């Protein structure tokens, strides 16, 4: 876990295949106003990689246990990718622990199914491959690790934002068999499982009361329909969230904090200060 700054606590939850280093471009500016706390989530980076516990309930419990260990009653959260999914689940299960929440490139819990979305399922084939026992860990850890490298460079609008040493810092951790197994279990028991639960309406009837800002780029969540303010795949939250703001960050891909850190910092600081 990395920490910087002082002030109100702000917990940053990273995505896959990354760890706390994913926040390196935004930590200094955020730390000027907040106590920034960047944990390595279960199985990632330098934290423990047990063979189990990669479920929604346990991952939420991990975050709550961290807050308890740090004696933090209430925090702001900034989450990306699967860290953002965990952030949403913490807001739903423990709204009293979260002041405000910023999600980057993260699906909310209330998506509406649109048949046209099936046309794009092929784009997430790697998620299903990673989830397969045996095959998934092998793809993550062996050889030149082409799959985890592709996950990073293929979903950005500008691969040059990743220095080779940064990519190595992320994917090299997956050479550890326990961490490769953890990555596969994460997709199998959490990421794909939560996608199914959300898409089948499992969270309808719950209420997102935490003020939330959701930022998304063009890659995967592109907005190419001039008649719509946002892609319809990102809708569906309107009847289940008290204070939800959805914003498109033009000219960026999936790794928003790496591609446009200034935008992430500016929007996060503005949103968190809007009490």
């Amino acid at each position: 876990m990395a920490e910087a700054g002082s002030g109100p606590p702000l917990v940053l939850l990273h995505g896959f295949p990354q760890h706390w280093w994913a926040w390196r471009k935004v930590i200094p500016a955020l730390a000027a106003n907040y106590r920034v706390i960047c944990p390595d989530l279960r199985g990632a980076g330098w934290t423990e990689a047990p063979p189990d516990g990669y479920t929604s309930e346990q991952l939420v419990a991990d975050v709550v246990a961290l807050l308890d260990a740090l004696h933090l009653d209430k925090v702001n959260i900034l989450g990306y990718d699967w860290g953002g999914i965990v952030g949403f689940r913490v807001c739903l299960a423990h709204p009293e622990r979260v002041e405000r929440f910023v999600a980057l490139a993260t699906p909310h819990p209330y998506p509406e199914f649109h048949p046209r979305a099936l046309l794009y399922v092929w784009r997430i084939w790697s998620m299903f491959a990673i989830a397969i026992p045996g095959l998934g860990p092998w793809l993550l850890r062996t050889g030149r690790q082409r799959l985890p490298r592709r996950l990073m460079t293929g979903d950005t609008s500008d691969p040059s934002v990743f220095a080779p040493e940064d990519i190595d810092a992320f994917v090299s951790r997956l050479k550890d068999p326990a961490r490769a197994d953890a990555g596969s279990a994460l997709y199998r028991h959490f990421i794909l499982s939560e996608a199914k639960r959300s898409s089948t309406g499992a969270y309808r009837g719950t209420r997102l009361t935490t003020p939330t800002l959701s930022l998304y780029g063009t890659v995967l969540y592109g907005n190419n329909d001039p008649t719509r303010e946002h892609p319809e795949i990102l809708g569906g939250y309107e009847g289940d969230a008290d204070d939800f703001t959805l914003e498109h960050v033009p000219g960026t891909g999936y790794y928003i904090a790496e591609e446009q850190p200034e935008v992430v910092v500016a929007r996060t600081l503005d949103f968190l200060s809007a009490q």
Side-chain angles (χ1 to χ4, degrees):
M1 183 177 75
E3 287 193 60
S6 61
L10 172 59
V11 177
L12 277 54
L13 305 178
H14 63 79
F16 188 88
Q18 298 179 293
H19 42 67
W20 76 265
W21 187 242
W23 303 110
R24 66 197 179 282
K25 295 183 179 180
V26 301
I27 288 174
L30 293 176
N33 297 274
Y34 292 90
R35 177 189 177 187
V36 178
I37 301 165
C38 307
D40 285 335
L41 298 173
R42 177 178 292 247
W46 289 266
T47 194
E48 294 182 1
D52 52 21
Y54 302 94
T55 63
S56 178
E57 293 74 18
Q58 183 58 60
L59 294 170
V60 167
D62 287 349
V63 174
V64 173
L66 173 65
L67 302 187
D68 290 343
L70 296 176
H71 306 291
L72 299 174
D73 293 329
K74 201 164 191 176
V75 300
N76 296 293
I77 294 179
L78 168 59
Y80 157 72
D81 184 60
W82 75 276
I85 299 175
V86 174
F88 270 119
R89 303 313 184 258
V90 172
C91 291
L92 290 178
H94 301 278
E96 75 284 357
R97 305 301 296 268
V98 187
E99 189 76 40
R100 286 181 166 247
F101 175 46
V102 179
L104 307 180
T106 303
H108 59 74
Y110 310 108
E112 292 180 343
F113 175 73
H114 298 279
R116 285 194 300 277
L118 296 175
L119 298 174
Y120 302 98
V121 171
W122 65 271
R123 298 183 65 174
I124 58 172
W125 66 268
S126 57
M127 297 173 62
F128 298 97
I130 293 172
I132 298 174
L135 175 63
W138 182 83
L139 291 171
L140 291 175
R141 73 172 185 266
T142 57
R144 296 180 62 185
Q145 296 179 284
R146 285 186 173 88
L147 182 56
R149 291 175 184 275
R150 178 192 174 279
L151 288 176
M152 299 186 67
T153 59
D155 288 339
T156 176
S157 61
D158 180 11
S160 69
V161 300
F162 293 111
E165 56 267 28
D166 290 326
I167 295 181
D168 288 341
F170 294 126
V171 303
S172 64
R173 300 302 297 159
L174 293 170
K175 285 185 175 293
D176 176 359
R179 298 192 187 282
D181 289 343
S184 180
L186 176 71
Y187 272 85
R188 187 163 59 254
H189 299 300
F190 178 66
I191 296 177
L192 292 180
S193 176
E194 284 302 294
K196 179 180 179 181
R197 290 176 67 181
S198 295
S199 62
T200 56
Y203 290 99
R204 297 291 179 184
T206 66
R207 189 144 197 92
L208 181 65
T209 59
T210 305
T212 298
L213 170 65
S214 178
L215 303 178
Y216 68 96
T218 300
V219 175
L220 295 184
Y221 298 108
N223 190 9
N224 299 316
D225 186 346
T227 67
R228 292 182 176 275
E229 182 179 4
H230 302 292
E232 61 184 8
I233 192 175
L234 297 180
Y237 61 84
E238 293 82 359
D240 298 282
D242 289 348
D243 184 354
F244 191 102
T245 302
L246 184 63
E247 291 188 14
H248 178 221
V249 181
T252 188
Y254 196 60
Y255 294 86
I256 303 174
E258 315 247 17
E259 297 180 51
Q260 296 202 34
E262 299 86 358
V263 172
V264 171
V265 168
R267 291 301 297 119
T268 298
L269 293 178
D270 286 347
F271 182 71
L272 297 185
S273 64
Q275 302 294 336

